[in-house]
Amino acid sequence: ELKVEQNPLFLSMQEGKNYTIYCNYSTTSDRLYWYRQDPGKSLESLFVLLSNGAVKQEGRLMASLDTKARLSTLHITAAVHDLSATYFCAVPSGNAGNMLTFGGGTRLMVKP
Amino acid sequence: NAGVMQNPRHLVRRRGQEARLRCSPMKGHSHVYWYRQLPEEGLKFMVYLQKENIIDESGMPKERFSAEFPKEGPSILRIQQVVRGDSAAYFCASSLTGGYYGYTFGSGTRLTVV
């Protein structure tokens, strides 16, 4: 059974600082997805990583995928308050690889 | 493009009643997925459907829960005889193909069982 673990589960940081969120998964996968969720809201797609070594950047966020290590990272550069949210990674699973198994989420709070 | 539309946004049911949650996928998407999110937790897969077919229901509780995606109209997640433990946010997602290039999520239905 696929397990997806994120750490840290909670992250409080000052504006302007850098930090990395880690996503480990237990079985082979060549794809991984990152989502953002604001309180009471839906999931917003951030990154779709489709191969080993994939790196994508959008603003202050950068995501990478190492399929051999079964690890993805979401790096935050010079955090701002607007980045405060919960971040989830998700890995395809199921017989056809069409369902997603989510990590438990990382709740990020960026303090002014 | 209106995105994935779910309704109602909030639903309150008394124990023992039925809950019906609706999901209209993005235009052109024929793959629909339902997920449940308990407070302070990640999303858990429930069921994957294509038009008129259930492809994978491995995450659905064996009793009281059912899902359909008819030829015409939205996908429906139906919960019979709701219990307090069914209180959660239920999200629908859709994809163009099997989700390889990603999934689009709806705004969710927050079900409260009183």
Side-chain angles (χ1 to χ4, degrees):
Chain A
E1 180 187 342
L2 171 63
K3 293 193 187 306
V4 182
E5 293 185 350
Q6 287 181 238
N7 71 82
L9 297 182
F10 182 77
L11 177 57
S12 179
M13 57 193 297
Q14 297 291 132
E15 279 193 330
K17 298 293 187 183
N18 304 332
Y19 209 84
T20 300
I21 298 170
Y22 297 89
C23 174
N24 293 273
Y25 53 97
S26 61
T27 63
T28 302
S29 178
D30 59 357
R31 288 182 279 151
L32 189 137
Y33 306 88
W34 282 97
Y35 291 90
R36 167 182 172 147
Q37 186 179 38
D38 292 290
K41 304 291 186 182
S42 185
L43 277 76
E44 173 192 353
S45 179
L46 292 175
F47 299 107
V48 178
L49 303 171
L50 297 177
S51 63
N52 184 41
V55 177
K56 291 198 173 179
Q57 183 164 4
E58 181 73 34
R60 301 174 188 273
L61 300 177
M62 183 173 71
S64 66
L65 177 62
D66 181 342
T67 59
K68 293 178 181 175
R70 299 177 186 170
L71 170 69
S72 180
T73 61
L74 180 66
H75 186 73
I76 303 157
T77 301
V80 293
H81 180 67
D82 286 351
L83 290 179
S84 297
T86 300
Y87 293 84
F88 291 98
C89 62
V91 178
S93 55
N95 294 334
N98 296 114
M99 58 181 266
L100 293 177
T101 298
F102 282 81
T106 296
R107 187 175 169 193
L108 173 65
M109 288 185 61
V110 181
K111 300 177 182 177
Chain B
N1 194 335
V4 178
M5 303 299 292
Q6 288 189 250
N7 68 81
R9 290 293 303 274
H10 300 274
L11 182 61
V12 179
R13 285 287 178 265
R14 295 186 183 278
R15 281 177 293 170
Q17 290 185 320
E18 178 179 288
R20 280 185 179 239
L21 288 61
R22 295 175 186 77
C23 169
S24 296
M26 279 188 70
K27 187 175 182 180
H29 285 191
S30 59
H31 300 248
V32 165
Y33 315 79
W34 286 93
Y35 289 82
R36 176 165 64 177
Q37 185 179 34
L38 295 171
E40 307 299 325
E41 293 188 11
L43 279 72
K44 298 286 194 295
F45 169 79
M46 300 182 74
V47 62
Y48 162 37
L49 310 104
Q50 294 182 31
K51 285 285 188 182
E52 299 184 278
N53 286 302
I54 297 175
I55 307 302
D56 185 338
E57 56 181 348
S58 57
M60 287 278 271
K62 298 297 182 202
E63 298 177 348
R64 301 188 297 109
F65 285 71
S66 62
E68 63 176 3
F69 188 16
K71 186 177 180 180
E72 301 291 338
S75 176
I76 306 287
L77 179 67
R78 182 182 177 203
I79 311 172
Q80 295 177 291
Q81 299 176 321
V82 296
V83 300
R84 288 228 171 101
D86 297 332
S87 296
Y90 292 83
F91 289 96
C92 170
S94 72
S95 66
L96 181 61
T97 56
Y100 185 84
Y101 296 104
Y103 305 79
T104 302
F105 281 82
S107 297
T109 294
R110 273 111 186 127
L111 172 66
T112 302
V113 179
V114 297

